[in-house]
Every structure is written in C-alpha cells, then in structure tokens.
Amino acid sequence: MTEEGNRGLSTKLSRFAIVGILNTVIDFATFSALVALSFPALVANFLGWAVAVIFSFAVNSRWTFERGERFSLHRAFAKFAVSGSIISLGSSTLAVYLLPPLTGLFAAKLIGILIGAILNFFAARWSIENRVI
C-alpha cells in the first residue's frame, strides 16, 4: 500500500470532483427551488447546503476517500460538517449576502459554491482520512 493508500491522490481528486459536481447540482437545485417558493435567500442557502453536505459525506466517505481502521462515522461526520459549515456554508453565505448587487443572486451562489469546493477537498481528507495535506 502506498503512502496515499490504495487510491492515489489523482483518483481521489477525480472522484472528489465528480461528487462535487453532483453536490453542486443538489445544493443549487435545492437553493433555487426554495427561493422560487419565496424562502429568504439566506435560509434557502443554509437548507441547500445541509442537503448537499449529507449527500457529499455519504458518497465521499464510501467512494472517494479511504476510511482509517478506527473510523468513527459520527466523529467523521461531525468533523466533515463543522469544516464544511466553516468553509462551504461560510463561502456561499458570504457570496449570497455580499455579491448579488454585482453578480445577481444565482451567480453569487455559484461563486460561493466554487470557492468552497476547492477548500473542501482538504477538509474532507482531514475529516475522513485524518490527513492534513
């Protein structure tokens, strides 16, 4: 087994990107549907993120990253959700709050999702594999 485990870094990055695309669709679709139902943008942003983070953890913890021998599902999800809330929820909330006058609401949401996705790869490795880099 390599230092990276059975799956190399390029495989993990590719899988993380695929999950990220699906996660983005889920987040954005949930957000859009809730905005169309007249939910406030920040509430819709939080609920879209919550649905997407559950999907993302379920798939990334089984398919993208390799679980350690002492993997604790509850502890890993807590680390994943906390880091995700700081990174992805934080970036998308800031974007939805600050950028709409410049970009429009939906473009702002996408910008926040993209920034969060880049940072979340490292957060996911930390929470699921207990690796920093």
Side-chain angles (χ1 to χ4, degrees), residues 49-108:
W49 170 82
V51 171
V53 80
I54 292 167
F55 167 81
S56 182
F57 178 79
V59 177
N60 278 318
S61 67
R62 289 174 178 76
W63 185 59
T64 305
F65 297 103
E66 297 170 277
R67 298 178 185 175
E69 292 175 14
R70 296 183 293 170
F71 179 80
S72 164
L73 182 65
H74 292 82
R75 184 172 180 212
F77 182 74
K79 286 168 61 176
F80 188 84
V82 168
S83 64
S85 68
I86 293 167
I87 295 168
S88 61
L89 182 58
S91 65
S92 67
T93 299
L94 281 172
V96 165
Y97 184 73
L98 297 174
L99 296 178
L102 301 171
T103 64
L105 180 61
F106 296 107

